Amino acid sequence: MPLQDRFTAEVTFYVRYAETDAMGVVHHGSYITYFEEGRSNYARQRGSDYASFEREGYYLLVAEVHARYLKPARYGQRVTVCCWINELKSRSLTFAYEILDADTRDLLVTGESKHICITKDGQVTRLPESWRTWDV
Amino acid sequence: MPLQDRFTAEVTFYVRYAETDAMGVVHHGSYITYFEEGRSNYARQRGSDYASFEREGYYLLVAEVHARYLKPARYGQRVTVCCWINELKSRSLTFAYEILDADTRDLLVTGESKHICITKDGQVTRLPESWRTWDV
Amino acid sequence: MPLQDRFTAEVTFYVRYAETDAMGVVHHGSYITYFEEGRSNYARQRGSDYASFEREGYYLLVAEVHARYLKPARYGQRVTVCCWINELKSRSLTFAYEILDADTRDLLVTGESKHICITKDGQVTRLPESWRTWDV
Amino acid sequence: MPLQDRFTAEVTFYVRYAETDAMGVVHHGSYITYFEEGRSNYARQRGSDYASFEREGYYLLVAEVHARYLKPARYGQRVTVCCWINELKSRSLTFAYEILDADTRDLLVTGESKHICITKDGQVTRLPESWRTWDV
């Protein structure tokens, strides 16, 4: 569980069967989608969902993603994705993630992703005003 | 919404960004995963989740799947997956699905999937007793 | 192998690990993507790839998809997707598929998908002239 | 293109439509699967595919993955995944990746993944002898 004092959004869901692989556990790539769902949920909890962000003509390009796998999750398990903003600049931001077992709160995966704000035609631009106070 | 009088399980979740495609809508293959999540939820609501079904040595092989796409879903939308059992035989069963817009209850996708009960070593077998009364 | 005399496009690739599931075999939803890759390859072999089709302002909406699973594929296996056009109308068409083990030519999965031709703004329209002779 | 002198395996394939997202480009999570296909191909070119590695009772757990996105890929594009071993220890190894446009050789994505060798019951173990000379 993030020890820092920043606003942290949590979302909990069941592992889907399609997200597992032949090793019998959740495929490492599926957590990248869990991270994404974590930041979708973050924006929803902040009252400014990413769908309307895109409708206003902004996109958050993924510039970098990093994941560390500590314990495997399995089908049947419920996981909680914690997401918060690590760093917020005028044109970019970094989200951090912790994925936990929803019941035991065991830490399964940690990660970060760096994003750059662009317009529809691909120009780097400033984050909208409403997002620029999210680093608290 | 299914008009029949069989037990119907509903689960609601947000469309994930990863589930969309370059057409701007949910990729048609993603609904196959929604169906699967619909029947996972069905088993959970019946009190006998599929994870423990597998731990007891049973598998539900997918023999057939069919989907009809009526209206596209988009990122930002919440969808509801309705799932019920259409036909239940001693060694096989058919699930039916309706995927709705969670807010408007507009019908987006319908489908069915046929499953055969097998053991770990691939032998066709009878469904466990606890599942054999689910056609009501 | 399709016994009919229509133009059939074949593409062969390795199963990816991410496409498997906890049952140890290729997840049934992954074949929907294999079908799609089969028709992408069909269009490429016809000399009119789907990417340029979209650039010209057309989209092939998926109206229906149907898959029958005969034998499982596993990681490490090479599969061949055979794809041909079953039915071609002025505004819609149906692709058919057979997925084979690339080495033994064992039939693994069969299926069809029905598509409707639309414009960028969602209007049903006639298939471009170059596609309308593909039913031979 | 990797400037180092280590054995580098290349594999080229078309972007699949299912791998794109509503931004019109390949979803950032899809490249994690491309990396995986890159190391599958690496093992095949080394004459010791990962499928038989698993049949011998070994697994390569993914401990960490990191991707940097430089340029987007689109549907219709062919990409080349270059993969080599960056570091090889007795119980772990690190793969590095470059994903290029297959035609222009433009660099699109770079990354690394760290793996730990385990047995079927989850014990950390030494890499098999045949893999231990791959750092050249």
Side-chain angles (χ1 to χ4, degrees):
Chain A
M1 212 172 354
L3 290 174
Q4 33 72 40
D5 56 358
R6 298 212 166 155
F7 176 83
T8 299
E10 288 196 15
V11 60
T12 294
F13 46 81
Y14 279 98
V15 165
R16 297 177 181 173
Y17 206 87
E19 294 160 356
T20 61
D21 66 23
M23 241 187 252
V25 298
V26 172
H27 185 259
H28 66 286
S30 302
Y31 296 101
I32 307 299
T33 302
Y34 291 0
F35 288 171
E36 186 177 61
E37 190 51 20
R39 56 184 189 271
S40 283
N41 174 64
Y42 181 95
R44 287 192 294 261
Q45 290 198 10
R46 281 290 198 175
S48 165
D49 69 282
Y50 182 70
S52 53
F53 183 80
E54 283 203 352
R55 276 193 297 270
E56 288 162 19
Y58 296 103
Y59 290 88
L60 273 190
L61 211 72
V62 185
E64 215 165 316
V65 74
H66 190 177
R68 278 167 300 269
Y69 304 95
L70 309 176
K71 276 188 174 189
R74 281 165 210 283
Y75 175 73
Q77 215 169 329
R78 276 185 333 135
V79 293
T80 297
V81 184
C82 304
C83 174
W84 65 97
I85 289 180
N86 235 359
E87 190 181 46
L88 185 66
K89 297 189 174 173
S90 63
R91 290 169 163 79
S92 70
L93 80 174
T94 303
F95 284 104
Y97 313 91
E98 289 188 356
I99 300 180
L100 316 169
D101 178 290
D103 298 316
T104 63
R105 304 291 286 183
D106 269 3
L107 187 59
L108 309 175
V109 178
T110 66
E112 306 90 40
S113 62
K114 194 184 166 180
H115 304 264
I116 295 167
C117 189
I118 59 163
T119 57
K120 213 163 192 152
D121 47 305
Q123 295 303 306
V124 176
T125 189
R126 296 171 76 83
L127 282 161
E129 204 58 49
S130 60
W131 284 51
R132 299 235 317 263
T133 53
W134 285 7
D135 58 340
V136 284
Chain B
M1 211 172 356
L3 290 173
Q4 33 71 40
D5 56 357
R6 297 209 167 158
F7 176 84
T8 300
E10 288 196 15
V11 60
T12 294
F13 47 80
Y14 279 97
V15 166
R16 296 176 181 174
Y17 206 87
E19 293 160 357
T20 61
D21 67 23
M23 243 188 250
V25 298
V26 172
H27 186 260
H28 66 285
S30 302
Y31 295 101
I32 307 299
T33 303
Y34 292 1
F35 288 171
E36 186 176 62
E37 189 52 21
R39 58 184 188 270
S40 283
N41 175 63
Y42 180 96
R44 286 192 295 260
Q45 289 198 10
R46 282 290 198 176
S48 166
D49 69 283
Y50 183 71
S52 53
F53 183 80
E54 282 203 352
R55 276 193 297 269
E56 288 161 21
Y58 296 103
Y59 290 87
L60 274 191
L61 212 70
V62 185
E64 216 165 316
V65 74
H66 191 177
R68 279 166 300 270
Y69 304 95
L70 310 176
K71 276 188 173 188
R74 282 165 209 281
Y75 175 72
Q77 216 169 327
R78 276 187 331 136
V79 293
T80 297
V81 184
C82 304
C83 174
W84 66 97
I85 289 181
N86 235 359
E87 191 182 44
L88 185 67
K89 297 190 175 171
S90 63
R91 291 170 162 77
S92 69
L93 80 174
T94 304
F95 284 104
Y97 314 91
E98 288 188 355
I99 301 180
L100 315 169
D101 177 290
D103 298 316
T104 64
R105 303 291 287 183
D106 268 4
L107 187 58
L108 308 176
V109 177
T110 67
E112 306 90 41
S113 62
K114 194 183 165 183
H115 304 264
I116 295 167
C117 190
I118 59 163
T119 57
K120 212 160 193 156
D121 47 305
Q123 295 303 305
V124 176
T125 190
R126 297 171 76 82
L127 282 162
E129 205 57 51
S130 60
W131 283 51
R132 299 232 322 261
T133 54
W134 285 7
D135 58 341
V136 284
Chain C
M1 211 173 354
L3 290 174
Q4 34 70 39
D5 56 359
R6 298 210 167 156
F7 176 84
T8 299
E10 289 198 14
V11 59
T12 294
F13 46 81
Y14 279 98
V15 166
R16 296 177 181 174
Y17 206 87
E19 293 161 356
T20 61
D21 67 23
M23 241 188 251
V25 298
V26 172
H27 185 259
H28 66 285
S30 302
Y31 296 101
I32 307 299
T33 303
Y34 291 0
F35 288 172
E36 185 176 62
E37 189 52 21
R39 56 184 189 271
S40 283
N41 175 63
Y42 181 96
R44 286 192 296 260
Q45 289 198 11
R46 281 291 197 175
S48 166
D49 70 282
Y50 182 71
S52 53
F53 184 79
E54 284 203 352
R55 276 193 297 271
E56 288 161 20
Y58 296 103
Y59 290 87
L60 274 190
L61 212 72
V62 185
E64 215 165 316
V65 74
H66 191 177
R68 278 167 301 270
Y69 305 96
L70 309 177
K71 276 188 174 188
R74 281 164 211 282
Y75 174 73
Q77 216 169 329
R78 275 185 333 134
V79 293
T80 297
V81 185
C82 304
C83 174
W84 66 97
I85 289 180
N86 235 359
E87 191 181 46
L88 184 68
K89 297 189 175 172
S90 62
R91 291 169 163 79
S92 69
L93 80 175
T94 304
F95 284 104
Y97 313 92
E98 288 188 356
I99 301 179
L100 315 169
D101 178 291
D103 298 316
T104 63
R105 303 291 287 183
D106 268 4
L107 187 58
L108 309 175
V109 177
T110 67
E112 307 90 42
S113 61
K114 195 185 165 182
H115 304 264
I116 295 168
C117 189
I118 58 164
T119 57
K120 214 163 191 151
D121 47 307
Q123 296 303 305
V124 176
T125 189
R126 297 171 76 82
L127 282 162
E129 204 58 48
S130 60
W131 284 51
R132 299 231 323 261
T133 53
W134 285 7
D135 58 341
V136 284
Chain D
M1 211 171 355
L3 291 173
Q4 33 71 39
D5 55 358
R6 297 208 168 159
F7 176 83
T8 300
E10 288 197 16
V11 60
T12 294
F13 46 81
Y14 279 98
V15 165
R16 296 176 181 174
Y17 205 87
E19 293 160 358
T20 61
D21 66 22
M23 241 188 250
V25 298
V26 172
H27 185 260
H28 66 286
S30 302
Y31 296 101
I32 306 299
T33 302
Y34 291 0
F35 287 171
E36 185 176 61
E37 189 52 22
R39 57 184 188 269
S40 284
N41 175 64
Y42 181 96
R44 286 193 295 259
Q45 289 198 11
R46 281 291 199 176
S48 165
D49 70 283
Y50 183 71
S52 54
F53 183 79
E54 283 203 351
R55 276 194 297 270
E56 288 161 20
Y58 296 102
Y59 290 87
L60 273 191
L61 211 71
V62 184
E64 214 165 318
V65 74
H66 191 178
R68 278 166 299 270
Y69 304 96
L70 309 175
K71 278 187 172 189
R74 282 165 210 282
Y75 175 72
Q77 215 169 329
R78 276 187 331 138
V79 293
T80 297
V81 184
C82 304
C83 173
W84 66 97
I85 289 181
N86 235 359
E87 190 182 45
L88 185 66
K89 297 188 174 173
S90 62
R91 291 170 163 79
S92 70
L93 80 174
T94 304
F95 283 105
Y97 313 92
E98 288 188 355
I99 301 180
L100 317 168
D101 178 291
D103 298 315
T104 64
R105 303 291 287 184
D106 268 4
L107 187 58
L108 308 175
V109 177
T110 66
E112 307 90 42
S113 61
K114 194 185 166 183
H115 304 264
I116 295 167
C117 189
I118 59 164
T119 57
K120 212 161 193 155
D121 47 305
Q123 296 302 306
V124 176
T125 189
R126 295 171 77 82
L127 282 162
E129 204 58 50
S130 61
W131 284 51
R132 300 234 319 264
T133 53
W134 285 8
D135 57 340
V136 284

